[in-house]
Amino acid sequence: MGRSIDVDDPLSLAIAPPANETHEERIAREKREAEARRVSDEIDEMLRQERAAMKKRRPVKVLLLGQSESGKSTTLKNFQLTYARKAWAEDRSSWKAVVQFNLVRNINTLLDIMSREMGTRAPRSDSPDSDLDYDEADDAAAGSADTDMNPSTAPAPFTEHHHVLKLRLGPLRRIQEELEARLGSGASELVQTSSSTSAGPFDSPRRPQEFYVRSNNWKTALKNFRPFGRAEGRRSKDFDTGEDVTEVLATCREDMKALWEDPVLQDVLRKNKIRMEESSGFFLNDIDRIATRDYEPSDDDVVRARLRTLGVQEYRFVFEIGRTAGHEWLMYDVGGARTSRAAWVPYFDDVDAVIFLAPISAFDEKLAEDKRVNRLEDSYLLWKAICGCKPLAKTQIILFLNKIDLLEKKLASGVKVKDYVPSFGDRSNDVATATKYFQQHFREIAKQSNPEPRPFFVHLTTATDTKSTAATLSVVEEGILRDHLRRADLL
Ligand SMILES: Nc1nc2c(ncn2[C@@H]2O[C@H](COP(=O)(O)OP(=O)(O)O)[C@@H](O)[C@H]2O)c(=O)[nH]1
Ligand SMILES: [Mg+2]
């Protein structure tokens, strides 16, 4: 087997077989050479595998996007609950303060509504961030649906009993302020800003409305409540606050229940179309359980607790179960208000998947930050901007049409889609027809805006339902993982 030798190449000359090589010598040499090649190939293969493994070990990077109150943080909590139980268990007791805060805010909203109906102004809260200002009480209560109190109806027949309730629940104002101060800005909800901003995340806000915390997660807000209800070392002020809150709530339990169940107040809510059940962090049906001295939040309570997300927050979870057990996931939860969206863009690089949340029940609601804008319309615009975004062109995007439970309730209560979405026309006003219609609209927008063809993945979700969400997440996990591994091999 003659090999051509380049006589000008000293290396070729050096390794060339001797001219007088015998047959046996040639066989032995070729054997040595074959062995050397095998070892070299083996090393190459090991290096290739190592490189691929390193790429695969790269964390799976997922962004949760969507307008404010679409369910991003709730979905993130579901991921943690399902796949990272250890971190979940560590955080759980800290959420107690948020649940208590949500309940106190619900009650104070009711008191505000009652006071207004009684024709007397309630004492305003001193906290600048408080969302208890009169003008906003009804929006906070009704998931931002248009719910101006109707002044033309006869005054509600409140009695001395209601005045007494109001007095006895007075301490809850102070409790709300204390909790707000400890939880920080995440405890206050959005209010309308004068600056008009667009739906897309690509324009710089004229004026930052929120400070951006890149730091790791809700622990920042919750850290003040670590020792809550537990004797850990010396009694700190935080510990006292926690005990105080728990004590006041336990004392007020019966009065809180009496207020929420009061037929006169319920009638006022109904007449003014105020649906407390749809408000953020609704816990009024759980007073018996929460307003006790030994209350500990359940998994569901934590998932339902509402704390507003500020800026972009990074969460690292090592998944404990599922196909990605042992694998690290990096998830980004973002503030969804229009003024916060410019902060998303730096996170678009190198993303494995975007989960986009659209609260489908919000077709009759307005944005908290801009009352002129319909929430569904804002979701469409934002979806269009995300689909059309070049840095995300090759990223898998998964649409969650969320709050299906609220859509069901809303349609059942007689709200007509076509009154808010004229193009819906005379289609049947049921959940299946409405979701199909909205879904088709999202699909069309994606088709027109995607810089290159991309599959359309959609799930109908109720993020507060941990069981059904776990099933959705397992499908989503598999899809994201498949894409992630394909990228690792291709890159
Ligand atoms: N009923 C219902 N409430 C939901 C659902 N998803 C989220 N929420 C509630 O809506 C509020 C806003 O959710 P959150 O996850 O904080 O929204 P984010 O602003 O997008 O992070 C919270 O009070 C949640 O408990 C849902 O599918 N159904
Ligand atoms: Mg959030």
Side-chain angles (χ1 to χ4, degrees):
M1 62 187 277
R3 250 195 289 179
S4 74
I5 298 165
D6 183 350
V7 288
D8 291 332
D9 176 5
L11 182 64
S12 297
L13 275 174
I15 62 171
N20 55 354
E21 189 179 47
T22 66
H23 180 67
E24 288 73 25
E25 282 171 341
R26 189 164 68 94
I27 294 195
R29 176 178 53 78
E30 282 177 357
K31 222 170 142 184
R32 278 196 311 276
E33 285 176 357
E35 175 61 14
R37 260 198 311 277
R38 193 189 60 76
V39 170
S40 159
D41 286 352
E42 214 171 76
I43 291 171
D44 280 352
E45 174 58 19
M46 269 163 59
L47 286 174
R48 198 194 66 75
Q49 280 182 10
E50 201 168 307
R51 267 197 306 270
M54 264 171 66
K55 277 180 190 150
K56 278 177 199 166
R57 270 204 300 275
R58 201 171 53 92
V60 181
K61 190 171 158 188
V62 178
L63 294 188
L64 291 153
L65 303 179
Q67 67 185 203
S68 191
E69 296 205 38
S70 53
K72 300 178 292 295
S73 302
T74 309
T75 301
L76 180 86
K77 281 188 262 181
N78 275 285
F79 266 108
Q80 192 184 17
L81 170 66
T82 312
Y83 295 103
R85 298 284 311 177
K86 236 173 25 226
W88 177 264
E90 279 165 19
D91 281 353
R92 185 169 33 188
S93 64
S94 315
W95 282 96
K96 175 175 168 179
V98 182
V99 176
Q100 291 176 322
F101 169 69
N102 287 169
L103 174 60
V104 169
R105 192 166 56 184
N106 292 161
I107 293 287
N108 283 334
T109 301
L110 289 180
L111 288 173
D112 281 344
I113 292 167
M114 188 167 82
S115 299
R116 184 160 44 173
E117 189 71 11
M118 285 171 168
T120 56
R121 288 186 77 84
R124 287 178 87 93
S125 162
D126 291 338
S127 159
D129 279 338
S130 166
D131 60 346
L132 269 183
D133 286 354
Y134 250 123
D135 314 337
E136 291 142 24
D138 52 354
D139 299 318
S144 302
D146 286 328
T147 52
D148 280 340
M149 303 271 281
N150 187 351
S152 63
T153 48
F158 287 118
T159 63
E160 191 52 32
H161 162 71
H162 296 96
H163 284 278
V164 172
L165 268 185
K166 206 175 116 184
L167 275 178
R168 289 162 62 125
L169 291 171
L172 294 183
R173 298 267 174 214
R174 174 179 59 81
I175 295 292
Q176 174 167 344
E177 279 165 29
E178 267 175 32
L179 286 169
E180 255 165 6
R182 303 215 78 84
L183 289 168
S185 317
S188 63
E189 290 300 334
L190 287 166
V191 293
Q192 176 146 23
T193 57
S194 53
S195 65
S196 74
T197 47
S198 66
F202 314 113
D203 323 282
S204 293
R206 259 188 273 165
R207 179 165 60 100
Q209 299 290 325
E210 296 177 347
F211 56 88
Y212 298 120
V213 264
R214 250 213 76 180
S215 67
N216 57 57
N217 60 48
W218 46 58
K219 287 198 172 75
T220 339
L222 299 183
K223 69 177 190 305
N224 287 337
F225 290 94
R226 263 293 123 93
F228 224 95
R230 268 182 286 159
E232 248 180 33
R234 80 192 156 79
R235 289 168 64 91
S236 63
K237 181 168 184 306
D238 306 336
F239 185 80
D240 289 343
T241 309
E243 271 204 330
D244 182 29
V245 171
T246 303
E247 188 56 37
V248 173
L249 280 182
T251 312
C252 290
R253 182 174 63 232
E254 293 309 318
D255 289 334
M256 291 195 289
K257 265 173 61 186
L259 180 73
W260 171 231
E261 287 162 8
D262 183 74
V264 181
L265 183 59
Q266 282 292 334
D267 205 40
V268 169
L269 295 177
R270 215 171 12 255
K271 279 200 180 113
N272 290 285
K273 299 198 177 69
I274 298 175
R275 293 182 290 267
M276 289 299 291
E277 293 80 353
E278 291 172 26
S279 62
S280 284
F282 171 77
F283 283 103
L284 288 170
N285 287 340
D286 305 280
I287 295 173
D288 262 338
R289 217 165 38 78
I290 295 171
T292 58
R293 290 185 177 82
D294 55 1
Y295 167 65
E296 284 298 329
S298 67
D299 286 348
D300 274 0
D301 290 347
V302 177
V303 166
R304 279 165 48 212
R306 160 76 175 171
L307 194 62
R308 188 161 62 96
T309 311
L310 300 167
V312 176
Q313 304 194 352
E314 182 185 285
Y315 294 82
R316 278 176 187 272
F317 303 125
V318 175
F319 276 24
E320 291 159 13
I321 57 159
R323 278 159 211 277
T324 32
H327 206 108
E328 186 172 44
W329 284 56
L330 205 53
M331 306 191 111
Y332 292 90
D333 184 19
V334 304
R338 286 191 157 194
T339 46
S340 308
R341 295 175 190 172
W344 302 356
V345 181
Y347 298 86
F348 288 178
D349 277 347
D350 209 17
V351 179
D352 288 295
V354 167
I355 298 179
F356 186 98
L357 283 112
I360 205 64
S361 60
F363 65 87
D364 66 336
E365 297 169 18
K366 298 283 201 284
L367 285 182
E369 65 266 40
D370 189 341
K371 293 283 159 57
R372 295 164 306 180
V373 182
N374 175 283
R375 288 187 70 196
L376 180 62
E377 211 49 56
D378 177 69
S379 266
Y380 285 150
L381 288 173
L382 186 53
W383 171 249
K384 185 177 157 126
I386 295 297
C387 288
C389 174
K390 291 249 164 59
L392 294 173
K394 294 191 187 311
T395 303
Q396 174 176 161
I397 303 185
I398 305 150
L399 174 64
F400 279 17
L401 294 183
N402 193 36
K403 304 203 178 183
I404 294 290
D405 61 326
L406 293 184
L407 178 71
E408 260 165 25
K409 282 201 191 112
K410 201 169 262 187
L411 297 188
S413 77
V415 180
K416 297 263 176 289
V417 176
K418 80 164 179 196
D419 290 348
Y420 301 88
V421 186
S423 60
F424 189 73
D426 287 327
R427 290 173 175 79
S428 160
N429 200 59
D430 60 72
V431 175
T433 311
T435 46
K436 201 167 146 218
Y437 181 79
F438 295 137
Q439 185 174 316
Q440 193 53 31
H441 202 95
F442 277 102
R443 183 196 292 271
E444 276 307 312
I445 293 174
K447 222 161 107 189
Q448 282 165 20
S449 325
N450 287 338
E452 47 192 271
R454 162 167 47 202
F456 178 72
F457 297 114
V458 63
H459 297 274
L460 305 183
T461 58
T462 294
T464 40
D465 177 349
T466 52
K467 222 166 121 199
S468 70
T469 306
T472 305
L473 293 189
S474 96
V475 175
V476 168
E477 184 214 9
E478 194 175 325
I480 295 178
L481 181 68
R482 207 178 315 118
D483 243 34
H484 178 73
L485 294 182
R486 203 168 49 224
R487 278 161 172 256
D489 276 336
L490 288 180
L491 289 175

